[in-house]
Amino acid sequence: MVKLLVLGSSCLVSTEKNRPTHLVCIGRRHGLLIDCGVSPRGRLEDLGIGRDAIDDIFITHFHPDHVAGLPLFLMELCMRKRSKPVRIHAGKSVISRIRRMMEMYRWRKLPAQFPIVYRPVEYRRRTRVLSNDEFRVHSSPVRHVVPAMGVRVDFLEDGRSFVYSADTEPSANLVELAGSAGLLIHEATGKGAGHSSAGQAASIARDAKVGKLLLIHTDPYADRKALLKQARAVFSGEVEIAVDRMEIEW
Ligand SMILES: [Zn+2]
């Protein structure tokens, strides 16, 4: 059975308890990490997810709360003597910045490296990003202040699907990408340039006809009851707010 876990649920301003938003999907043979604002390694190991579990990393956009932990995570895996390659999927400009970051940290000078395979993703609607014997992953561009992509993962084993919005204002591309998915994980930072309120996230869930809405990328100091109330006024399906380390059921 594939597991989907919230490693972090916060917006850019995080706390000790609420780390920046990132997710991990663990199947029988493959693991996917989505976003990497802090290194997830310690938390993954606490959850019983070891050095070789992640094969593919998706970076939705180049903002620190989504990418700043990546060099440390990769270097930690190196120090833990990983030899299996890691594939990184992100927009072209994001990939070139990640390459530069790794060069600035002198990745090539580290002993016993494993291969990093860079996979640029085109910002096109419903682009196929990855397909293996457990997952299909598609992405579509969303509406943030820098180029960003939402991600859809379909599990082949049980037919379940989830969609993660990344950081975005309400996006028609996301409604299309999320169409009839069991679960929409949508940011609810608050209304403003490049972001959405809980009510706006709920309108995307309603329009995409998803089964369940999980609000994420929330301000850790926000009134959670008020966020739920706003979302439930718009979307009649199940609504929850993500918390760090939760396993998502849907
Ligand atoms: Zn963010």
Side-chain angles (χ1 to χ4, degrees):
M1 181 79 164
V2 186
K3 275 186 174 182
L4 176 59
L5 299 154
V6 174
L7 293 174
S9 60
S10 172
C11 66
L12 185 139
V13 177
S14 59
T15 62
E16 189 61 33
K17 222 172 104 205
N18 305 282
R19 294 188 180 175
T21 292
H22 56 313
L23 305 161
V24 68
C25 216
I26 297 293
R28 289 182 204 281
R29 291 170 297 280
H30 305 284
L32 317 176
L33 174 71
I34 308 179
D35 282 335
C36 197
V38 289
S39 172
R41 197 203 53 83
R43 191 162 270 190
L44 285 173
E45 287 197 4
D46 277 358
L47 294 163
I49 302 167
R51 179 194 69 190
D52 292 328
I54 307 293
D55 307 288
D56 291 277
I57 303 176
F58 302 86
I59 302 294
T60 59
H61 61 291
F62 199 83
H63 270 163
D65 55 324
H66 298 262
V67 71
L70 186 61
L72 181 56
F73 181 43
L74 296 172
M75 288 188 175
E76 285 183 294
L77 293 179
C78 183
M79 294 301 167
R80 301 284 280 169
K81 304 205 174 354
R82 176 169 170 135
S83 57
K84 212 180 162 194
V86 169
R87 287 178 293 270
I88 298 177
H89 309 264
K92 233 189 198 168
S93 62
V94 176
I95 291 282
S96 73
R97 286 163 197 220
I98 293 171
R99 279 178 183 277
R100 264 156 49 208
M101 272 204 307
M102 295 313 290
E103 274 164 29
M104 283 160 76
Y105 284 117
R106 296 183 172 250
W107 169 249
R108 277 179 238 267
K109 302 272 185 210
L110 288 186
Q113 291 175 45
F114 58 87
I116 301 176
V117 182
Y118 293 101
R119 293 272 170 87
V121 176
E122 272 198 56
Y123 289 115
R124 248 191 310 113
R125 284 162 50 211
R126 295 201 60 106
T127 301
R128 179 174 286 197
V129 180
L130 173 79
S131 180
N132 61 29
D133 56 355
E134 289 189 294
F135 307 111
R136 294 260 147 80
V137 184
H138 288 82
S139 78
S140 288
V142 292
R143 298 173 59 206
H144 194 39
V145 293
V146 295
M149 61 180 191
V151 178
R152 177 180 180 123
V153 182
D154 293 282
F155 299 167
L156 303 188
E157 184 184 275
D158 55 14
R160 290 185 305 161
S161 313
F162 78 89
V163 173
Y164 165 53
S165 66
D167 289 6
T168 186
E169 288 174 40
S171 158
N173 284 353
L174 197 67
V175 173
E176 181 192 47
L177 187 70
S180 303
L183 170 69
L184 173 64
I185 304 170
H186 200 293
E187 73 119 296
T189 320
K191 200 171 180 172
H195 291 289
S196 300
S197 66
Q200 288 174 319
S203 70
I204 300 297
R206 179 197 61 207
D207 294 351
K209 300 186 169 54
V210 300
K212 173 175 174 173
L213 171 64
L214 183 72
L215 300 174
I216 204 162
H217 202 275
T218 50
D219 181 336
Y221 304 103
D223 177 346
R224 298 170 79 85
K225 278 190 186 151
L227 294 183
L228 282 172
K229 199 173 161 199
Q230 278 172 38
R232 286 178 178 145
V234 178
F235 176 61
S236 58
E238 191 187 344
V239 184
E240 246 190 295
I241 303 185
V243 291
D244 286 35
R245 306 170 70 111
M246 80 190 280
E247 182 178 344
I248 308 174
E249 312 268 352
W250 81 100

